Amino acid sequence: MTLPPPRAGFREPARLRRFLAGAGFHEAGVTERLELSSLFAFRTLRGGRTSATTPTDRLGLLIHLFMDGEPAPEAEARRLLGEEGLGLLQEAGLLLPDPHEPSTLAAAALLYPVGPLLIASDVNEQAPGASPDGGALRPDAVYPALTGAVRGFLRDLPDPTEVSADARVLDLCAGTGVAGLLLASRAGEVVLADLTERCSHFARFNAALNEVGNVRVAQGDLWEAVADERFDVVVAHPPYVPSETDQLIFRDAGIDGERLFRGVVAGAPQHLNPGGLLYVRGTAVDRVDAPVESRLRAMLGEAHGDFDVFVAISDLHSPEEYLSRASGAASEAGVDRLSRARRLREGGVAAFVHGTFLVQRREAPREVATVRRVRAPTAGRRALDWMRRSEVQALRPHAPRELLRRLPRLREGVEMEVRYRMEEGELRNRGCRVGVDTPFRVAVDLPAGASRFLPLFSGRRHTLRVLEEGVKRGMIPPGTPPDQFAGLAQALILAGILEIEGAEPPPPEA
Ligand SMILES: C[S@@+](CC[C@H](N)C(=O)[O-])C[C@H]1O[C@@H](n2cnc3c(N)ncnc32)[C@H](O)[C@@H]1O
């Protein structure tokens, strides 16, 4: 049995928010009470949390009811929450008599702070045991916004300050609508689109609770919900767990986990304005015949030449590893997993790529970028912005030439391994591998001589001077065209091995 969802049309959202804030039911209050570094580290009581187990005050009871999903005796709720608080929560449909024990009250939904918002959702296995009715998850359960996956999604959202005041924003596969609601403070209009009626209802409730006015809720299969509309920013966190059956709508995404991902990317040409950005957080696959970044181009179809494509990889797994990690597969016997992995391999899947996928429509005709990088755990949204900006800058026709007059320097932390080989009685330099770990993990193989001329990039010599001096000292072959050398310097700047003042990669982010 399932409790009815909270009421989207409730009367007094501002009073309810004031009541909750007054009780300390906000991000700082809850993290302090539970001694958490972040709310994304929250565990329910039944999920193993040991701190703050007995609700002795208003905040404790709110956490108990709405985050742990535990019922409480009605008299206790009345005493700790007061008539006003209890009335407000009941009027919003957030607290109901427990179907199993009518003298107790249970939450109709989980409710918790996310940044400046309060978000209501259903529960899932990542909040184990928190189902108010103790029942199994419904197929259309509303995915909670406190999971590690949502943390990853929200972390890379475009900064609201970069969303223009008249921008049209779409949160596709919106669930609770948390991402769209966070972006709404700066945008013109935000559409929260999801397949299910239940998600649409929760998205409406969350918009009402937070009094976000410039939001519309649309329901339908992916882009069908917004048939002829165009957007400046589209964010999507679709289901991506490989599964052979469809049990949970928020999770299951076909045999290779890519069914929804492909549909999301394929809609970009029809729905993105010039300059518009599609940001997808999730998993897609490298196939034996094509890495994921080329496949994104194929998914975009004929119009792909209009788009830059960036892939920032958080994790890369073999089919075997990935299936054993994916939550939907967790309960499967190992032998089933191995045979599924074999089928995936036979079908051409080489690896699962989990991360951030960005597709941006160019504003005017120009060359477009296709980039794949493995990010450091400390590389946040600013690192992604830096990558996009520098890659697009580098495509300007005169960019390498301009670089000849700039002063690149080797970045702090760059590592170099030089390879020597014994040849004709002497050890000869056969080249080197130069790498960095932040913001992206990059290793570049360079020819003999590079280990000697790279230190000449000290930030005090123009690229052209480095070339001239390198040739003079026998480190660079005479006759090397300046444009070719500038192209190498450019590639090293984009990799984060060299840097230029004013365009440095950002420092590590939390
Ligand atoms: C992983 S959840 C993410 C929800 C939310 N964006 C978040 O990050 O918390 C995936 C969402 O996609 C929705 N969904 C699944 N299939 C869909 C489809 N064909 N069209 C639109 N939404 C879909 C599910 O209902 C679910 O809300």
Side-chain angles (χ1 to χ4, degrees), residues 285-413:
V285 303
D286 278 338
R287 297 184 63 85
V288 280
D289 54 354
V292 70
E293 60 276 18
S294 322
R295 300 193 51 246
L296 261 102
R297 293 217 160 274
M299 292 172 204
L300 289 165
E302 281 177 6
H304 78 88
D306 243 8
F307 293 89
D308 298 311
V309 168
F310 303 95
V311 177
I313 301 174
S314 300
D315 294 293
L316 190 67
H317 291 293
S318 70
E320 293 75 9
E321 283 167 346
Y322 192 70
L323 289 183
S324 67
R325 292 167 66 106
S327 58
S331 57
E332 253 174 40
V335 61
D336 291 345
R337 276 206 305 272
L338 286 179
S339 63
R340 276 178 66 196
R342 200 185 54 242
R343 284 202 294 282
L344 282 167
R345 282 194 181 282
E346 283 165 4
V349 174
F352 284 89
V353 179
H354 181 65
T356 287
F357 302 83
L358 298 162
V359 167
Q360 183 151 30
R361 180 168 236 147
R362 61 185 182 180
E363 267 172 295
R366 62 159 168 80
E367 249 192 274
V368 288
T370 306
V371 181
R372 172 191 179 107
R373 294 272 186 234
V374 177
R375 76 200 283 181
T378 53
R381 195 190 40 76
R382 286 166 56 209
L384 300 179
D385 293 347
W386 170 79
M387 168 180 71
R388 278 167 47 207
R389 221 180 18 252
S390 44
E391 292 282 351
V392 170
Q393 285 270 328
L395 291 169
R396 286 174 305 117
H398 299 300
R401 180 140 300 176
E402 285 166 20
L403 200 54
L404 291 171
R405 297 276 156 222
R406 305 292 304 270
L407 303 166
R409 59 178 173 247
L410 267 178
R411 256 180 85 218
E412 188 71 21

